[in-house]
Amino acid sequence: TADVAAGLTLDALRGTPVAFDPRIHELRPFPGQKKSARNLERLNRGSEIRESHRSAEVDPRVQDAYSLRCAPQVHGAVRDALAYARRVLEIELNSATDNPLVFASTGEVLSGGNFHGQPLALALDVVSVALAQLGGITERRIERMINPALSGLPAFLTREPGLNSGFMMAQVTAAALASENKGLAHPASVDSIPTSNQEDYVPMSMGAALKARQIADNVKTILAIELLCACQGIDLLAPLKTGRRAQRAYKAVRNVSFGLDADRPLSPDIEAVRQLISARTFQKLLSR
């Protein structure tokens, strides 16, 4: 979903896909980075917006801001972190964690520590840190879109700024959630409160799980806001169209949220796009 949102934002900000060239990513072949770069390149393919500013005479910029140019590196690092956490959880789900453990073949009953949740706590803290970073870079792209000094678009992505505040408060919402995530991302697994004397070093894995769940929910909202802003930015560049795959994402958003011509409460729109994210709509789009 973050790759799709960033792909739409790239066009809304009239960025360049040059940084997604596979030759760049073969020279630093982290699996997640390569996958995100491929997604972003595919999303931009065939974009009329890109063609409109390809020449240096039209657009003298050499390269984009990090939040666009380095999206494969940041999104890719998040992908790899989540893959690590997934491997840990798969091992845990297929493990025996009782204490004591009964070995029927020998009739032995052995006391051990397989119940200790340190692997889970550490993995879930990695999830929290990774998703907090994903929310952070997403919020920066949102801010670039609503800032006319950076976007070249009308202030707050509204045709009549001043009379309308457009997506200003949506960006404030994204910023607040991104900041909340920074506090939530503090590792739970580095803490330990002894109990019952014997339990003198505990993992705090439930705390890690609860924080990771809250961060994931916050990031879902931040991504929904980026998708809404990017679609609005693309509307402001009409009649030029984004890439073929990116158009599918644009249409999915527009099926649940029409463009913002005058101020209205945006919470229903944000929730509608959150539901699309929960339904894995954008992941399915990239798999086709």
Side-chain angles (χ1 to χ4, degrees):
T1 298
D3 288 348
V4 171
L8 288 167
T9 297
L10 183 79
D11 257 354
L13 291 173
R14 285 166 285 199
T16 173
V18 168
F20 312 141
D21 189 305
R23 292 171 293 181
I24 293 173
H25 304 281
E26 286 296 335
L27 297 177
R28 196 192 190 202
F30 288 110
Q33 177 177 327
K34 290 172 68 176
K35 186 166 186 178
S36 284
R38 181 172 181 269
N39 285 342
L40 287 159
E41 187 276 327
R42 290 169 68 209
L43 285 157
N44 190 261
R45 203 177 292 167
S47 168
E48 295 175 359
I49 298 171
R50 164 61 175 156
E51 293 305 317
S52 72
H53 63 91
R54 183 182 288 273
S55 70
E57 291 77 16
V58 175
D59 187 352
R61 293 176 297 169
V62 175
Q63 55 193 11
D64 293 316
Y66 283 10
S67 58
L68 293 171
R69 182 175 18 130
C70 302
Q73 287 78 8
V74 178
H75 291 195
V78 174
R79 282 183 180 278
D80 291 342
L82 295 179
Y84 154 72
R86 185 177 293 112
R87 287 195 299 273
V88 170
L89 291 165
E90 286 172 350
I91 291 170
E92 181 73 6
L93 287 167
N94 290 282
S95 297
T97 57
D98 291 334
N99 185 54
L101 286 167
V102 178
F103 293 84
S105 60
T106 63
E108 293 176 278
V109 178
L110 304 180
S111 292
N114 275 2
F115 55 83
H116 201 285
Q118 202 68 51
L120 296 179
L122 184 58
L124 289 162
D125 278 341
V126 168
V127 169
S128 289
V129 171
L131 290 183
Q133 292 175 358
L134 190 66
I137 195 171
T138 301
E139 185 279 327
R140 286 294 80 197
R141 290 193 294 262
I142 295 168
E143 198 278 333
R144 293 192 79 82
M145 283 188 282
I146 71 163
N147 185 335
L150 299 174
S151 70
L153 298 168
F156 308 125
L157 297 173
T158 179
R159 288 184 173 87
E160 296 187 21
L163 293 176
N164 294 288
S165 60
F167 283 86
M168 179 179 70
M169 293 311 297
Q171 186 269 330
V172 170
T173 299
L177 292 173
S179 290
E180 180 182 336
N181 287 347
K182 294 172 189 177
L184 289 169
H186 178 79
S189 60
V190 298
D191 192 17
S192 176
I193 299 291
T195 58
S196 304
N197 297 320
Q198 286 287 87
E199 300 158 357
D200 60 347
Y201 195 76
V202 296
M204 313 302 276
S205 49
M206 180 57 74
L210 293 171
K211 295 195 301 94
R213 181 171 65 179
Q214 183 60 55
I215 291 171
D217 191 65
N218 288 349
V219 173
K220 190 185 297 185
T221 299
I222 299 171
L223 286 169
I225 292 169
E226 182 181 14
L227 285 161
L228 287 166
C229 288
C231 289
Q232 181 80 1
I234 287 168
D235 286 343
L236 293 169
L237 296 175
L240 298 175
K241 293 181 179 179
T242 188
R244 181 171 59 83
R245 281 187 174 87
Q247 282 184 55
R248 295 177 189 166
Y250 170 87
K251 290 174 182 176
V253 173
R254 282 288 170 259
N255 282 340
V256 299
S257 169
F258 58 89
L260 189 67
D261 293 323
D263 280 356
R264 66 174 187 267
L266 285 173
S267 54
D269 301 72
I270 294 169
E271 181 56 34
V273 179
R274 275 173 49 92
Q275 294 301 319
L276 293 180
I277 295 170
S278 296
R280 304 169 79 84
T281 301
F282 303 103
Q283 182 183 4
K284 294 171 187 174
L285 178 154
L286 278 172
S287 66
R288 296 172 193 163

